[in-house]
Structures are given as structure tokens and as C-alpha cells.
Amino acid sequence: MKLKYLILTIAVLASSVSAHADNSSDYKQSKEYLTLRDSVHHTFNSGDSARFFKAVSALEDYLSRQGDVHVYYTQRCNEIVFELNRQRIFEAYKLATQLSRELTEKKLDKEMYMAINMMGHIYNYCGDKKSAKQCFWDVIRRMEQEGYLESEPPIYMNLVNILMTENPQEAMRLIDQAVAIAQKTQPDRVFDIEARRTLGYYTLGDTQRFMEGYEAYRQGLEKGLSTVHGRRLEIYYQTLLGNIDEAVRMAGENKEDPYETQAEILSRAGRWQEAFEALKKGTAETDSINSLLLSSSMQGIQNELKVYEAERHVYRLWVYGLAFIILLLLLLIMAYIYILQMRRRHWREMEKAYQRVLESDNMKTAFIKNISHEVRTPLNIISGYAQVIADPDYDVSPYERHRIAETVMDNTHRITKMVDEVLEMSLNETSGEEYKLTSVACNDLLRRLLSDFQKTLPPTKTQFRFETSVDDDFTFDTNEGVLRRIINPLLENAEKNTETGVVTLRCSTDSAHLLLQVEDTGCGIPANEAEHIFERFVKLDNFKVGVGLGLPLSRTMANRLGGTVRLDTSYAGPGARFEVEIPIHP
């Protein structure tokens, strides 16, 4: 099959594929779509590659926005057809393989027949008839599976054009199948297929059936029907009438295989010398085209090799860079492991030393004496700023005055809080009073507790959240002041160990208990310290502010309400999670 005939066949297929999607595509009546479609049509026929690819790209973008995958990939096929029409086989092959790869990656099996059909035409043009037939049969099988029956006749015609010379009887059988399908799906195609059948009669030497088919063709023309095979039918008709010179002239005007057709006509008339000359011209033209195609393909291959070498060089540099990064990471991991081991050794030594301190009967007294440092530091700050304010020679701006006031207040609050914790812990050890319980709305109380706590904090990057699975109208009996002294130390501990992150107060219930959780995304607490941190004056990080009474006080107050506080050692982090369980009094 020569080039022009190939393009006409594909054009028919493309129009049928588009028609399949028209049934449910309202956008195809829009002015924008019609303008883009006509632009592609005109530039395709003109052969202007720069304008065509710009126009088809604009149409593909529009179809992509409309979500019409079927028609979008039809336009992708038109790109391949355009390259075939320009005799750029290598470029067409690249576009076809790219189309096949993209359909595979996106799992668009329903549209895969398009890429296979394009590959069939490329194989056929290159002379690989066997691969071409395999592709076309695969296309027919896929069309039957996906319901594209109206698009099958052109594929049958592709097979007919291949088989007509090697197996004419099989080709005529396929024409029968194509006619049967076209009569059911698109009757207007039957005329064109029957015209191709008439050409087959000429190839088989069945003059009577050819003349009958030709008469049917003329009658069809009078009814306004058309076919791409009309020119060749007229040429063969003149040949059978004996008008050899007229047939040769008409064949020379035909753009489809002019010399081959002339040679066929002349040899049938016994004018062997002229047939030989025509065949020689056709062979020379074919050789010239094949040479041009080979040159174009070789140039394309050379360009691909250059791209491959460039990519290979970039990949090599990337591998070297990756190897360097991996080596650097290994060194960093080794350094981290070394630091971690040293830190663990340091912590073990500190733990041993601290255990020895806890064994002493005078631990509490000794630690209270050491608390003087926690008090002296803020007192020194307060004293220093007091001297600055009292100095008459020092001019204090409003901004500095405000900052000094805030610093003094923060350190005063720090001292007050430490004293309150020590006094409250002491009072709770000796006091046996029972707290008065009142009915409170659970969610409202917890939201207020969290809001009041946040107001006491300086500006921080830590976020606070409240999550609850109980209804807003749920109430229970408790002492609000005691509950604050349970929750506040847990919130303070979470905020203190979470420089940047989230602290979450979570609420739920079971049949007899109110279940609270304070969860943070901070540095976390080792599971082996789960009970140690609730001992008085224990601080896992001596550089953190406080005297180590917050968590013990929280547990003590929970015990006064008949509940408990514990560290959730099953929590995987990041950070830590404390759980509070308080009985719900009837």
C-alpha cells in the first residue's frame, strides 16, 4: 500500500472514532471547539508542520480540559498520521511508541487499540506485512471487546489491502464482513466498501463482476454517494474498454502509485516496453523515497543517540552525587550513633548518681536547700531590674519599661508558683479534708481550663487542641479547683517539653470513669521512667524550669478524687501521653 492510500484510510478511521464520542459530548457544538477543529483540519491538509502541531496542541489542551479522553487520543493519532504523510517514519514510530507507553501507564486499555492501529500502519509502510496484520487483527479484537463496532470496517479494509495480492479470496471474505458490520452501524460506508470490492474483482480478473460493480458505482454517484476508490475504478474501466492511452493518462494524473498503475495497464495491453519504462520510473521514485526515509530515520537515530549520551552523562553525575551523599549520610549516622552512645552513658551515670541521692534519708531536706538556686535566679533578675529603674541617670524608654515590667512579672510568677507547689504538696500530705463536689458541664469546664492555662503562657509556637467524644450536655460531679490542679501540671509539663508542636487535651468516658489524656509532640519520656517521674523533686532534665513537684502533685490530687494519673508507655510518639482516670460520681 502506498502512502496516499494509507493516509486516506487512517482519516476515515479517525472520523469514525470521533463520531463514537459525539453522542455524549455537548461541547462539540461550541464555537471554541469548532474553531480549533477547523484549524487542525486546514493545517493538516496544508502540510505546514509548525502550524499543524501548534493547532493540534491547542485542540488537545481543550479536549483535556473537557475530560474527553477518547477524542483527545484520536488527535494524538492525527499527529502520527501527519508525520507519516510527511514520510517521517522514525518520528511517527516515536510518537506511536510514546502513545502506547502513555496509555499503558494510565491503564487506558479501552483506547489502546489506537496505538496498535498506528503501529500496524507503520509496519505496513515499512514492508513488515506480518507484523502489520497482527496489529490490525489485535485492533479488531479490542474493538469488539470495547464496543467500537462502527470503527471496525476501516480496519478490515487495511487487512484487505494487504491480503489482496497474497490471498485474494481471504481479502474478499473480509470485505463481506466489513459490509455486514457497516450495514448495522454506519450504512453510509457500505458504498465505499463495495467500491473496494469492485477493485478486487479487477485484481482477480473477473471482468463481468467488475463491470457490474462499476455500474453500481455510477448509480451511487448519481445518488450523491462518494468513495475514495472512484479514480482507480475509472482508470480500470477505461482499461477494460480498451482505451489504454486514456487509462494511462488518468493513471499519470493520479497521485496514488501512478507508475505502478501505468505499468499494470500497459502490461495487460501487451505493451511490454512501455510497461517496463513505467515500472522503471516507479522503481526509481520508490528508491528515492526509500533513500529519503532511510536518511531521515538515520538522522533521527543519531539525534536519539546524542540525547541518550547526554542523559547518560547526567545520570553518571547523578550516581556520583548520590554516592557522595550516601557516604556523607553514613558518616553522619556513625557520628550520631557515637553521640547517642555517649549520651546514653552519660544518662546512665546520672541515673546512678540520682539513685544514690534518693537513697538518702535526708533527700527531701537537701533538695529543699538546693531549691534556693531556683528562687535566687529570678530574685537576682528582679533585683537587677529594680536597680535599673531606681537609677535616676538611666533614661528608660516606654518600650524598655514595658519589657522590664513583663520580665519582673514573669519571674515573680515563677517564684510564686514554686512556693505554691511546695506548700500545696506539704498541705496535701497532712490534710485529710474532703472536697465539695458540684455538678459541672464536662466539655465546657475542660475548654475553660485549657483557655485559662493558655492565658498564663508567654507567646509560644506550641498549638493547643481540645478533642472530645462526649456530648456537650454531659455533666458529672467534681471539684473544679482540684481538677485544675490535676490538669494544669500535665499541660505545663507538655508545653515545657514541646518547643514547637501540638499539645492535645482529649476527653472520653466509659461506664464509670471520666478519661482524660494530655498528649504532646515533644521530646518524650522513656518507658522505664514511667513511675520515677511521679516521685517528688524528680526532673529528667535539670535544665528545665521547675522543682519537680508538678507531676507528683497531679497524681496526689487525682488520688484525692478517687482517680489516678499515669504515663501511657504504649504511646509510640512523638512526644508523651499522660492518662487521667476519675470516677464519675452518681
Side-chain angles (χ1 to χ4, degrees), residues 156-157 159-165 167-180 193-206 209-210:
Y156 277 108
M157 290 299 98
L159 290 166
V160 167
N161 293 325
I162 296 174
L163 293 171
M164 189 58 73
T165 55
N167 191 347
Q169 298 301 326
E170 176 65 13
M172 298 301 283
R173 187 187 67 80
L174 293 180
I175 289 177
D176 292 337
Q177 288 185 256
V179 168
I193 299 172
E194 289 293 350
R196 183 65 183 92
R197 186 200 299 273
T198 302
L199 292 178
Y201 290 143
Y202 180 87
T203 302
L204 293 172
D206 192 338
R209 289 191 177 183
F210 175 84

Side-chain angles (χ1 to χ4, degrees), residues 40 45 89 95 106 115 122 126 141 159 167 215 236 245-246 320 330 340 347 476 480 484 513 521 523 541 562 570 574:
V40 171
N45 290 335
I89 306 302
L95 290 175
K106 294 184 178 181
I122 293 171
C126 295
R141 179 184 61 81
L159 290 166
N167 191 347
E215 289 301 322
Y236 288 163
D245 291 335
E246 176 63 14
Y320 291 156
L330 288 175
L340 186 62
W347 276 107
F476 72 109
E480 181 175 343
R484 283 181 181 272
H513 297 86
T521 59
C523 58
D541 187 349
S570 64

Side-chain angles (χ1 to χ4, degrees), residues 234-477:
E234 296 291 353
I235 294 171
Y236 288 163
Y237 178 71
Q238 292 296 327
T239 302
L240 293 177
L241 291 180
N243 301 326
I244 304 302
D245 291 335
E246 176 63 14
V248 170
R249 183 191 65 78
M250 293 175 64
E253 295 177 354
N254 188 25
K255 295 181 180 181
E256 178 190 332
D257 307 335
Y259 297 114
E260 185 176 330
T261 305
Q262 288 177 342
E264 180 183 357
I265 295 170
L266 291 168
S267 62
R268 191 181 187 97
R271 295 160 61 172
W272 303 107
Q273 183 62 34
E274 295 176 75
F276 174 74
E277 293 297 330
L279 189 60
K280 186 167 65 172
K281 291 180 181 179
T283 302
E285 183 181 85
T286 301
D287 290 343
S288 176
I289 292 175
N290 290 339
S291 177
L292 178 62
L293 293 176
L294 181 60
S295 175
S296 175
S297 298
M298 290 301 296
Q299 183 62 43
I301 293 172
Q302 289 177 358
N303 293 337
E304 287 290 307
L305 286 174
K306 290 180 180 179
V307 172
Y308 171 75
E309 289 298 331
E311 292 178 348
R312 183 180 179 186
H313 178 67
V314 172
Y315 176 75
R316 188 183 299 113
L317 294 178
W318 182 83
V319 170
Y320 291 156
L322 181 62
F324 175 77
I325 292 173
I326 292 175
L327 179 60
L328 182 61
L329 287 175
L330 288 175
L331 294 175
L332 290 175
I333 292 173
M334 292 175 64
Y336 174 77
I337 293 174
Y338 175 76
I339 294 172
L340 186 62
Q341 292 295 332
M342 295 300 295
R343 188 171 183 179
R344 287 179 177 176
R345 182 183 300 174
H346 176 68
W347 276 107
R348 285 195 296 268
E349 292 175 355
M350 290 183 62
E351 184 179 1
K352 291 178 182 178
Y354 193 64
Q355 289 297 329
R356 287 193 295 268
V357 172
L358 292 178
E359 292 173 358
S360 174
D361 293 336
N362 298 323
M363 178 271 297
K364 184 175 181 179
T365 302
F367 192 86
I368 292 176
K369 290 181 180 179
N370 291 333
I371 202 174
S372 62
H373 171 72
E374 295 289 336
V375 177
R376 186 181 296 111
T377 300
L379 283 177
N380 288 338
I381 294 174
I382 295 171
S383 176
Y385 278 124
Q387 293 176 20
V388 170
I389 296 175
D391 187 353
D393 297 330
Y394 187 78
D395 186 15
V396 181
S397 66
Y399 171 78
E400 291 178 330
R401 189 184 306 277
H402 178 71
R403 185 174 61 83
I404 290 172
E406 284 188 340
T407 304
V408 171
M409 291 176 63
D410 288 343
N411 284 275
T412 302
H413 175 73
R414 178 178 170 184
I415 295 173
T416 304
K417 187 174 181 303
M418 285 189 291
V419 173
D420 287 343
E421 285 182 350
V422 173
L423 292 177
E424 190 164 17
M425 179 62 71
S426 177
L427 289 173
N428 276 284
E429 287 181 344
T430 58
S431 174
E433 72 171 311
E434 293 187 2
Y435 296 103
K436 182 180 179 181
L437 305 180
T438 58
S439 179
V440 296
C442 178
N443 288 343
D444 179 67
L445 172 60
L446 294 176
R447 288 191 183 98
R448 283 191 288 108
L449 289 181
L450 185 61
S451 176
D452 293 343
F453 174 79
Q454 289 181 261
K455 292 177 182 178
T456 65
L457 299 176
T460 177
K461 295 182 180 179
T462 304
Q463 300 178 22
F464 290 83
R465 295 176 183 172
F466 174 66
E467 299 177 0
T468 180
S469 61
V470 302
D471 297 332
D472 283 340
D473 58 356
F474 172 75
T475 61
F476 72 109
D477 294 337

Side-chain angles (χ1 to χ4, degrees), residues 538-576:
V538 170
K539 291 171 57 179
L540 297 184
D541 187 349
N542 291 326
F543 298 101
K544 296 291 185 181
V545 175
V547 294
L549 288 176
L551 295 179
L553 178 61
S554 177
R555 174 173 279 186
T556 299
M557 301 308 291
N559 292 338
R560 296 294 294 272
L561 292 180
T564 184
V565 177
R566 60 179 173 270
L567 176 70
D568 184 3
T569 56
S570 64
Y571 181 61

Side-chain angles (χ1 to χ4, degrees), residues 1-14 44-45 77-87 89 118 121 125 158 228 256:
M1 188 197 308
K2 296 301 182 181
L3 185 62
K4 190 64 179 178
Y5 193 80
L6 170 64
I7 299 309
L8 290 173
T9 304
I10 299 177
V12 172
L13 174 61
F44 182 93
N45 290 335
C77 290
N78 283 338
E79 294 182 26
I80 302 171
V81 171
F82 186 81
E83 292 291 19
L84 286 172
N85 202 24
R86 297 169 65 204
Q87 300 178 355
I89 306 302
M118 293 297 102
H121 287 295
Y125 188 85
N158 295 336
V228 297
E256 178 190 332

